[in-house]
Each structure stands twice: as structure tokens, then as C-alpha cells.
Amino acid sequence: MTYLKIYGKRLGYTLLELLISLVLITTLYYFNIIGDGFFKSLELISIILTIFINSYILGNTSNKKAYIEGTKFGGIIIFLLLIFTLLFSKFKIRVLIYYLIIMITSILGSMIGISKKRD
């Protein structure tokens, strides 16, 4: 049960942090405080940073094989984002690359998290 609690808590924190950061960035874009190119870059950086931090914390709490924990965590996030993508827009190759970046970030964050735990 504690295993599901840890995943649920990390997933909840990730989605909440993503929601808050993306609403803030979108508000800045709406009022023309930031430009279009910077908006897209800041959006990607925000998502990568949020997933990396939460995956790092998840890897720090795991005991072994952090790459599997990162793969599971990234898979759950990609599954949730894929549902929204299929419901609200067309699936493009750019989205596939985006999901690949999310998966790699999740795996790396979890692996770094478990390696820092042992120090």
C-alpha cells in the first residue's frame, strides 16, 4: 500500500506543479509579457524540470533499479498526456518526440535520485 501511496503522491504533486506553472506561463503569454518562442521554450523547460524533480524524489525513495521506477513514472505521465492529446488535438511526430523527452527525463531523474541516496 505504501508503494501506491508514494506513486500517487508524486503523481499528484507533478500534476499540481504542472498545472500551476503552465497557468502562470500562459497568463504571462496572454498579457504579451513573453513572446511566442520564449513561451514554447519556457513551457517545455517547466514540464521537464517538474518531471525531473519529482522523478528524482521518487528515485530517492526507491531501493533498487531506479530506471524501472523512472520508466513506470514516465509511462504514467505519458499515458495521461496521451489521453488529452487524443481527445483535444491531432497526434503529430512532434508530440512523439515530446513524449520521448519526458520519458528520458523521468528515467534520468530517477537514476540520479537513487545514486545520490547512496552518498
Side-chain angles (χ1 to χ4, degrees), residues 47-112:
I47 291 171
I48 288 174
L49 192 62
T50 301
I51 291 173
F52 182 82
I53 290 170
N54 284 296
S55 180
Y56 176 87
I57 295 169
L58 183 68
N60 211 356
T61 59
S62 70
N63 293 329
K64 57 183 178 179
K65 297 188 181 179
Y67 63 94
I68 294 176
E69 300 295 326
T71 304
K72 286 187 237 178
F73 188 67
I76 292 169
I77 292 172
I78 289 173
F79 178 73
L80 293 173
L81 292 176
L82 185 64
I83 290 172
F84 287 119
T85 302
L86 293 176
L87 289 176
F88 298 116
S89 66
K90 292 182 179 180
F91 192 78
K92 299 176 185 175
I93 190 72
R94 184 171 53 108
V95 175
L96 185 64
I97 294 170
Y98 187 69
Y99 290 158
L100 184 64
I101 291 170
I102 288 174
M103 182 63 79
I104 291 171
T105 302
S106 177
I107 293 170
L108 285 177
S110 186
M111 288 171 66
I112 291 172

Side-chain angles (χ1 to χ4, degrees), residues 10-52:
R10 282 295 111 209
L11 189 61
Y13 285 149
T14 302
L15 294 178
L16 184 66
E17 290 170 9
L18 281 176
L19 182 68
I20 290 170
S21 65
L22 292 179
V23 165
L24 180 66
I25 293 169
T26 304
T27 304
L28 292 174
Y29 179 69
Y30 179 76
F31 289 114
N32 292 327
I33 296 173
I34 58 175
D36 188 39
F38 188 65
F39 168 71
K40 291 183 183 207
S41 300
L42 196 60
E43 188 179 35
L44 181 64
I45 290 170
S46 171
I47 291 171
I48 288 174
L49 192 62
T50 301
I51 291 173
F52 182 82

